Amino acid sequence: MAAQDGRVTYPAVASVSDAPLTVRGVTVSYGEKPAVFSVDASFPAKAMSAIIGPNGAGKSTLLKASLGVIPRLSGEVHVFGQPIEQARDRIAYVPQRASVDWDFPTTVVDVVQMGLYRKIGLLRRLSGQMKAWALECLDRVGMADFADRQIGQLSGGQQQRVFLARALAQDADLYLLDEPFAGVDAATERAIIDVLELLKAGGKALVSVHHDLSTVREYFDHVFLINVRRIAEGPVETAFTTENLQATYGGRLAATHLDELSLARGV
Amino acid sequence: MGADFVQFSLTPLLIGVLAAIACALPGNFLILRRQALIGDAISHVVLPGIVVAFIITGTISAIPMLIGAAGAAVVAVILIEAVKRLGRIEPGAAMGVVFTSMFAGGVLILEQTDTSKVHIDVEHALMGNLESLIWFRAEGWHSLLDPAALATLPHELPRIAIVCAIVVVLTLVFWRWLKIATFDEGFAQVLGIPVSALGFGLVVTAAVAAVAAFDAVGSIIVIAMFICPPAAARLMTNSLEHQIWWSVAFATLSAILGYVFAGYGPLWLGATNAVSAAGMIATASGIILGLACLFGPHRMRIGVGKEPLG
Amino acid sequence: MQPFLNALLLQAGYNATLVAVGAALLGFAAGSSGAFLFLRKRALVSDAVAHATLPGVGIAFILMVSLGGEGRSLIGLLLGSAVTAWIGLLLIEWITRRTRLAEDAAIGAVLGVFFGVGIVLLTIIQSMSAGRQAGLEGFLLGSTAGMLFQDAVVIAVGGSLAVLATWLMRRPMTLVAFDSEYAAAMGYDVRRIDLLMMGLVMAVTVIGLKLVGLILIVAMLIIPAVTARFWTERSNRVIWIAGAVGGASGYLGAAFSASAPALPTGPIIVLVAAGIFVLSLLFAPVRGVLAAVIRHRRFQARVHRRQGLLSLAAQHPIREAYTLRLLRRDGLVRADGVPTQTGRAQAAKIARDERRWDVAREVHQDVGLTGRYDGLTPIEDVFTADEIADFDRRLGPPAAVGGA
């Protein structure tokens, strides 16, 4: 890359890969304290990736800043090799359950149909086919019988399933999920993971903010460890190591945690 | 329901109803977005807006006044946002700082200007004057078909009708965006919906509705029109679509009941003079909201105890 | 100028003096009690309280007239306004607790409806024979012109009492405003203290009605508190600074207003307070806009500079225009984007520091130390020279940037 005079040259299309999600130099700061600092990351295709780190380490912040939901101080984000603004049709997003007001006057199927709003624009009518599609998405998360329920009447796990169904309705290639398993019951966790496995099998890429270390090996193929800055990334087998976790969590990773993990690994 | 009705009551009644609907529609979204008090702020800056418009143009004709008031509302919204972000001040306090300062400025300028020749009247702007918007040339229902008589309709009527139509059209066109950005702003952003512009547009629409309504019902009572019908509607249903219809119905009902009580109520009670129609409309909307709070089928937050009210 | 100085030095007549003193006291009480509201994030409740006084004024007038009085007794009118303001307050609480409506909707509804009822009552009063010259409209915007001596006394005495009450209740109210759960755990009845706080706000509102009017009294409650927030991070100081700002605005405003005709007291007081607010917003040392802008720009420049140098070190392209401009300005890259000698040196240094940090984290499994890494703190600020030398030994010799 470096010519003889020390001049640095670059290929015409710079080294942005076609990976489902690539972030470069993303920094987010609330006030003067950086919440995410200068993070580079690349998430692989046809895989489930986890963003892992302690509380306040900037996991959700990284996800939201990548999507432009919160402003970045610096950095750029590419989706399948395109700037994210041009690839919005290929992204589906599952926000944190607690980020919305569940007292909003609307029904379950209404929320799922919101996933189609980009496709149908402002005025086009929702076709019968699209309505059927929304119901099918609800069925895939096991919520078809709740279609006409008011959203405030749902349990936490059911709310999470509705959000997942909405993302399914978006029919995207890259699914970004913000703590999809936080505060949900075991049955819901199972239902969600089944849906995500199916998506992966269908060739989709998934990136999820995750905080339960004990399930990482079981659910994910790829991990990204973050504590304000990037600590490590790679396939679970090579990157999800005690050393990297120690570096991510520092003194906060209790010894019992590590035991659990080595048990989970079958050591 | 004869000629007198057409001459004295038809236009104020129509203006009241249209104003109430124009305010209630954006009010639905303001309430769901916890921005109900933007209506409060907007209505207070209408006065400085018209005062400044008067100073600049030297006339009291309607269009400059409307532009002035709408401009003041936009300035207020921008200032509130600036104070909120720059000073890291919570929204309510930021609003309180901005609209009271602008209102004080308006009153001061008004006192400093020689307004004895013109009729910018503070109380008028605050209280409204629905009763005076009568149709002098009307001689009965047939005047509705008489172009000469129609030309003498008080100009507030076509104005509020146009504004109301614009508000309805905007609500319909941007329905999906408004709904999703109100429910889940982050998701809306990921879909590529310009949520900031949408939020600003909503506030500006509310400001335009407030401005068009204020010369009928006065600037303070506009707040009641923004909030009471949609708030009552929220307690009647759990569907946004139905809530909108309920709010329109409540707005219409408030306007009609308020106008009728103001005009005829005192006569029924043996008094001789009518009372403020604008004030009565606000009162009626308050009574409707009170009834909805007591008996509305969906008055409770879900999960809150269902014990009887005490 | 002379009349203003006269008024400022309390030489502008007996009434004006009383009004100025009363305005200062009221401003102080409003500022400090408003601070409690502000800290409780309920600033605009005061707006509803203020507008809800109007029907009370009307009812009191009608009652007094129908009992054969003249109807203009200020104390009577203020008592009436207190009653409806209190009802408005209770209604807000009731709506928020008992229905799904949020507090902002409850505030707006009470505000608009009570004001509407008040307007209805005013039109009734205008049609009463005794009510023609009632001058109740003065309560909307305040009016000190033609104020009676005893009215001025009411304002001065009321202002003093409000200051006294604020002082007496400062401890429990600070506690609740700062951390209501902790206050509840300490055995305070938070709800009652909240109501007391509201009672104080209501008292200030009522006393201020004649002086600044019901629409602008809100400003006296909110602006000083928000202003004070720029000057301190400590809640008990917010209260006293807000009181001082309110008192100063009241005093200056009243004096200014007395110095010339057509300067209505209420708006002038509010505008003085707004002026102090704007100055604080812009120029307060830590929280002010100017200070924040300077800090933010410095921070952003550091982030971009480091990002740029790391890119140079890794021979990645730099696409962000701001980063390039910054590096060019500091002579780290040439106009065509090629790194200069210094640029390469600094890039090498920063890349090396990154790796030193990596080593540091391995060596010191101690978040207290390595947790201070935010990518911007120079490693020399955290570790001693010999510690760094140790990291370097583990890293091996430095490598040049840019090939060559």
Side-chain angles (χ1 to χ4, degrees):
Chain A
M1 273 229 262
Q4 288 208 313
D5 56 351
R7 191 185 166 118
V8 185
T9 52
Y10 305 107
V13 179
S15 58
V16 172
S17 72
D18 288 344
L21 178 65
T22 315
V23 305
R24 169 89 72 72
V26 167
T27 298
V28 182
S29 132
Y30 304 113
E32 269 72 51
K33 188 99 189 102
V36 166
F37 189 83
S38 187
V39 165
D40 295 342
S42 182
F43 295 94
K46 294 174 191 147
M48 269 175 76
S49 309
I51 300 176
I52 293 169
N55 287 333
K59 303 182 294 278
S60 292
T61 306
L62 174 64
L63 192 72
K64 285 189 231 162
S66 304
L67 285 163
V69 175
I70 50 179
R72 304 189 283 268
L73 197 68
S74 70
E76 45 194 78
V77 179
H78 285 81
V79 170
F80 297 106
Q82 288 174 298
I84 184 160
E85 290 71 26
Q86 291 157 32
R88 293 211 174 274
D89 290 324
R90 305 184 67 180
I91 306 170
Y93 173 48
V94 180
Q96 268 178 33
R97 195 159 48 82
S99 67
V100 306
D101 173 16
W102 288 94
D103 199 33
F104 193 84
T106 195
T107 57
V108 166
V109 69
D110 240 9
V111 173
V112 178
Q113 285 171 357
M114 286 179 189
L116 298 165
Y117 278 10
R118 190 178 164 80
K119 212 161 284 168
I120 56 177
L122 279 175
L123 293 175
R124 219 159 333 134
R125 271 174 50 88
L126 209 60
S127 65
Q129 200 185 354
M130 281 175 168
K131 286 182 184 161
W133 167 242
L135 282 176
E136 190 191 323
C137 293
L138 260 184
D139 190 41
R140 280 164 70 183
V141 298
M143 291 280 292
D145 294 341
F146 289 67
D148 295 320
R149 205 60 78 79
Q150 215 275 319
I151 54 169
Q153 298 169 347
L154 304 179
S155 74
Q158 291 166 344
Q159 292 173 348
Q160 193 66 61
R161 294 188 201 207
V162 173
F163 265 9
L164 183 60
R166 181 176 68 175
L168 291 177
Q170 286 183 273
D171 193 22
D173 299 315
L174 168 64
Y175 287 77
L176 298 171
L177 307 97
D178 198 347
E179 303 250 14
F181 306 113
V184 304
D185 51 292
T188 298
E189 180 153 347
R190 198 62 252 162
I192 292 176
I193 202 69
D194 288 346
V195 170
L196 299 185
E197 295 281 359
L198 268 177
L199 285 173
K200 187 178 86 176
K204 313 285 188 186
L206 300 105
V207 177
S208 174
V209 171
H210 191 68
H211 73 220
D212 182 3
L213 293 179
S214 62
T215 50
V216 171
R217 271 171 205 290
E218 186 187 344
Y219 294 168
F220 295 97
D221 313 301
H222 182 95
V223 289
F224 179 85
L225 297 168
I226 180 174
N227 190 349
V228 180
R229 40 182 277 296
R230 189 189 85 132
I231 306 289
E233 71 182 304
V236 170
E237 301 78 48
T238 56
F240 192 65
T241 61
T242 313
E243 299 73 49
N244 283 341
L245 283 171
Q246 195 75 58
T248 313
Y249 286 77
R252 275 180 281 187
L253 190 67
T256 49
H257 256 117
L258 287 171
D259 289 348
E260 251 174 59
L261 289 172
S262 36
L263 282 178
R265 204 177 352 172
V267 174
Chain B
M1 285 295 180
D4 278 2
F5 175 81
V6 177
Q7 189 173 15
F8 293 110
S9 294
L10 182 65
T11 43
L13 205 49
L14 276 176
I15 290 172
V17 168
L18 290 171
I21 294 174
C23 291
L25 283 176
N28 279 293
F29 292 100
L30 292 179
I31 284 186
L32 289 171
R33 290 165 163 251
R34 306 271 187 276
Q35 285 183 333
L37 291 172
I38 278 279
D40 185 15
I42 290 171
S43 65
H44 280 89
V45 301
V46 163
L47 176 75
I50 56 174
V51 172
V52 170
F54 168 70
I55 303 252
I56 293 173
T57 63
T59 65
I60 52 159
S61 55
I63 298 302
M65 300 266 159
L66 281 179
I67 294 173
V74 171
V75 168
V77 169
I78 293 171
L79 283 179
I80 289 168
E81 202 58 28
V83 169
K84 212 164 74 184
R85 298 226 178 129
L86 295 178
R88 276 167 284 158
I89 301 294
E90 50 121 352
M95 281 183 218
V97 171
V98 170
F99 78 72
T100 54
S101 302
M102 287 179 71
F103 189 85
V107 175
L108 180 63
I109 299 173
L110 195 57
E111 295 280 331
Q112 292 276 303
T113 327
D114 180 18
T115 49
S116 54
K117 281 175 289 181
V118 294
H119 294 286
I120 299 187
D121 177 346
V122 178
E123 280 139 38
H124 205 145
L126 295 179
M127 301 178 188
N129 200 5
L130 196 55
E131 301 84 345
S132 69
L133 304 174
I134 51 181
W135 189 9
F136 284 112
R137 290 282 306 276
E139 288 154 0
W141 289 102
H142 59 86
S143 297
L144 283 173
L145 302 171
D146 173 6
L150 281 175
T152 63
L153 271 174
H155 52 257
E156 283 85 354
L157 181 59
R159 196 156 72 213
I160 189 70
I162 291 170
V163 168
C164 189
I166 291 174
V167 171
V168 169
V169 168
L170 286 175
T171 309
L172 285 174
V173 169
F174 289 102
W175 174 257
R176 282 180 189 145
W177 281 15
L178 283 167
K179 183 172 176 178
I180 190 164
T182 302
F183 171 59
D184 189 345
E185 188 170 348
F187 187 78
Q189 240 166 335
V190 172
L191 289 185
I193 292 170
V195 287
S196 312
L198 188 70
F200 189 70
L202 174 65
V203 172
V204 171
T205 308
V208 171
V211 170
F214 101 95
D215 55 9
V217 296
S219 67
I220 307 285
I221 292 162
V222 162
I223 303 166
M225 300 324 313
F226 270 125
I227 296 175
C228 291
R234 178 67 193 90
L235 306 177
M236 301 304 291
T237 171
N238 266 332
S239 144
L240 186 56
E241 288 78 2
H242 295 168
Q243 180 185 325
I244 300 282
W245 286 113
W246 275 107
S247 74
V248 169
F250 284 150
T252 310
L253 193 63
S254 307
I256 294 174
L257 286 181
Y259 185 79
V260 171
F261 284 148
Y264 303 102
L267 305 183
W268 297 335
L269 295 175
T272 48
N273 296 50
V275 298
S276 158
M280 215 59 197
I281 291 176
T283 309
S285 72
I287 291 171
I288 291 174
L289 175 60
L291 291 174
C293 283
L294 285 172
F295 307 112
H298 297 279
R299 61 185 180 277
M300 301 288 199
R301 232 168 259 125
I302 294 163
V304 172
K306 297 267 194 287
E307 78 275 7
L309 299 177
Chain C
M1 204 61 214
Q2 194 55 40
F4 177 55
L5 283 181
N6 276 345
L8 209 54
L9 300 171
L10 305 177
Q11 305 292 315
Y14 213 71
N15 257 8
T17 301
L18 268 181
V19 167
V21 170
L25 288 169
L26 179 74
F28 189 91
S32 48
S33 54
F36 292 118
L37 268 191
F38 171 63
L39 292 172
R40 224 54 188 106
K41 300 206 187 336
R42 301 180 72 191
L44 281 179
V45 173
S46 60
D47 201 18
V49 171
H51 285 77
T53 56
L54 189 59
V57 171
I59 292 170
F61 182 88
I62 294 172
L63 270 181
M64 285 191 285
V65 168
S66 60
L67 292 175
E70 198 206 352
R72 294 192 59 185
S73 151
L74 184 59
I75 295 205
L77 296 176
L78 296 189
L79 280 179
S81 69
V83 170
T84 48
W86 193 246
I87 294 174
L89 206 54
L90 293 180
L91 273 180
I92 292 176
E93 229 222 13
W94 180 77
I95 292 176
T96 331
R97 246 173 354 109
R98 285 301 187 173
T99 77
R100 70 190 331 150
L101 296 175
E103 189 173 42
D104 64 332
I107 290 174
V110 165
L111 187 161
V113 172
F114 274 61
F115 194 81
V117 173
I119 299 285
V120 168
L121 290 170
L122 284 192
T123 50
I124 292 176
I125 289 168
Q126 273 162 5
S127 67
M128 289 164 58
S129 50
R132 245 165 239 137
Q133 301 300 319
L136 296 187
E137 291 80 8
F139 284 92
L140 288 179
L141 297 172
S143 87
T144 47
M147 188 190 260
L148 297 175
F149 173 66
Q150 63 252 44
D151 294 351
V153 171
V154 168
I155 291 174
V157 171
S160 318
L161 287 178
V163 171
L164 186 69
T166 312
W167 186 76
L168 286 175
M169 284 157 56
R170 70 194 184 284
R171 293 221 173 90
M173 291 203 302
T174 320
L175 205 60
V176 169
F178 181 64
D179 185 349
S180 58
E181 281 174 22
Y182 179 67
M186 291 203 16
Y188 284 96
D189 183 343
V190 172
R191 193 163 160 237
R192 183 183 295 171
I193 293 172
D194 261 343
L195 279 181
L196 269 177
M197 199 184 311
M198 288 299 163
L200 190 56
V201 166
M202 191 198 71
V204 167
T205 310
V206 166
I207 297 162
L209 277 187
K210 187 74 186 162
L211 195 60
V212 292
L214 63 89
I215 297 177
L216 287 177
I217 186 69
V218 186
M220 302 279 292
L221 289 158
I222 297 179
I223 297 180
V226 176
T227 306
R229 190 65 189 79
F230 286 106
W231 296 94
T232 178
E233 298 287 334
R234 292 176 47 188
S235 51
N236 54 345
R237 289 207 188 136
V238 170
I239 289 155
W240 301 123
I241 296 174
V245 171
S249 325
Y251 188 74
L252 288 175
F256 195 51
S257 146
S259 66
L263 292 177
T265 319
I268 294 286
I269 292 177
V270 174
L271 289 175
V272 170
I276 302 178
F277 163 77
V278 170
L279 290 178
S280 307
L281 171 73
L282 295 179
F283 303 117
V286 180
R287 285 179 59 104
V289 169
L290 197 64
V293 166
I294 292 173
R295 254 193 336 264
H296 180 81
R297 291 204 60 112
R298 280 200 190 135
F299 179 74
Q300 193 171 24
R302 279 167 71 196
V303 169
H304 277 262
R305 188 189 150 96
R306 173 179 174 280
Q307 196 61 43
L309 285 171
L310 278 178
S311 298
L312 287 185
Q315 301 188 3
H316 280 309
I318 301 171
R319 281 199 218 81
E320 284 184 73
Y322 178 57
T323 316
L324 273 176
R325 208 165 57 236
L326 214 64
L327 295 182
R328 221 172 283 147
R329 194 193 66 194
D330 293 351
L332 301 175
V333 298
R334 297 207 313 250
D336 57 2
V338 175
T340 62
Q341 205 62 44
T342 349
R344 274 202 287 272
Q346 294 214 14
K349 155 96 171 85
I350 207 157
R352 185 158 186 81
D353 279 358
E354 280 294 299
R355 274 177 293 143
R356 283 166 167 171
W357 272 110
D358 288 339
V359 179
R361 263 187 303 278
E362 273 169 38
V363 178
H364 302 269
Q365 300 261 338
D366 171 5
V367 264
L369 210 52
T370 51
R372 282 174 60 191
Y373 173 85
D374 57 7
L376 292 175
T377 316
I379 195 164
E380 290 85 358
D381 288 4
V382 184
F383 295 104
T384 61
D386 55 324
E387 282 174 316
I388 295 174
D390 176 51
F391 303 151
D392 284 349
R393 265 194 304 284
R394 292 160 190 259
L395 272 174
V401 171

